[in-house]
């Protein structure tokens, strides 16, 4: 198993991952957080189960417990694993699963890409600034939740900004969103600057976008 986690934080919650503890809440048979952060168990739930099993009076052959770090930032621990540590090993059990009682025999893998380009700033030409925000979306795990049809606010914002170009002249002053390479974002915000005559067109475009969002994600991501 691996020992690190993806830390998704609700924007504006005040929760600091480098200093604040995760607050667990028992909801029936489910453990969850208080909503300000992701739970943080991840593979450590499997690690804890293995450590617990090693304390039980169960007959077994020789075992090796292998815990890696840096998995969530590019499999760094696994990539530095000395193959000699696995000499003579017949079976490898990965505890990084999702469902109790299910055994995964293959995986699609994953890939991350980072794209950068120079930022060129300029004095604004227009007068009136508006903040466009997508918020309240579920987000989720980039692997396990990717097929659930949830909205990606970053992609939505890119589509919206592209469509606005057809009816509104604007300048993009700020764009912010997402929590990491491997989590579906929960929110995204952009600041655009327009000339006052374009305000009615902007209002109509936002209303149109809101209607379409309800039709597309009303069932799968109802609070967005």
């Amino acid at each position: 198993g691996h020992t690190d986690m993806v830390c998704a934080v609700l924007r504006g919650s005040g929760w600091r991952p480098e200093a604040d503890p995760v607050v667990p809440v028992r909801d029936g048979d489910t453990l969850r957080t208080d909503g300000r952060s992701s739970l943080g168990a991840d593979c450590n739930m499997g690690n804890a189960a293995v450590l617990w099993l090693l304390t039980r009076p169960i007959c077994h052959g020789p075992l090796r417990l292998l815990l890696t770090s840096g998995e969530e930032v590019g499999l760094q621990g696994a990539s530095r694993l000395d193959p000699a540590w696995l000499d003579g090993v017949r079976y490898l059990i990965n505890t990084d699963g999702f469902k109790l009682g299910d055994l995964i025999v293959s995986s699609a893998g994953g890939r991350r890409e980072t794209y950068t380009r120079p930022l060129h700033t300029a004095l604004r030409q227009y007068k009136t600034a508006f903040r466009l925000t997508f918020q309240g979306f579920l987000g989720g795990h980039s692997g396990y939740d990717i097929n659930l049809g949830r909205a990606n606010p970053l992609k939505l914002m890119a589509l919206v900004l592209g469509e606005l170009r057809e009816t509104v002249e604007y300048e993009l002053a700020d764009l912010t969103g997402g929590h990491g390479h491997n989590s579906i974002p929960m929110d995204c915000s952009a600041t655009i600057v327009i000339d006052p005559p374009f305000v009615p067109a902007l209002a109509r475009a936002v209303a149109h976008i809101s209607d379409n969002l309800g039709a597309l994600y009303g069932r799968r991501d109802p609070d967005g």
Side-chain angles (χ1 to χ4, degrees), residues 57-119:
I58 300 172
C59 294
H60 58 75
L63 299 174
R64 298 178 194 176
L65 181 57
L66 176 64
L67 306 179
T68 62
S69 62
E71 190 271 350
E72 300 291 4
V73 288
L75 299 173
Q76 293 180 0
S79 66
R80 297 171 186 173
L81 173 66
D82 185 347
W85 291 358
L86 300 179
D87 286 349
V89 173
R90 295 184 60 190
Y91 303 102
L92 179 68
I93 299 176
N94 183 354
T95 60
D96 194 6
F98 291 96
K99 291 185 178 180
L100 185 65
D102 286 358
L103 185 66
I104 300 173
V105 295
S106 63
S107 175
R111 175 174 177 166
R112 70 188 65 211
E113 296 182 5
T114 301
Y115 174 73
T116 60
R117 63 178 296 174
L119 175 65

Side-chain angles (χ1 to χ4, degrees), residues 159-177:
L159 290 172
V160 166
L161 293 175
E163 291 182 7
L164 281 180
R165 286 283 183 208
E166 300 176 6
T167 56
V168 178
E169 292 185 18
Y170 70 86
E171 299 168 304
L172 181 62
D174 177 69
L175 176 64
T176 250

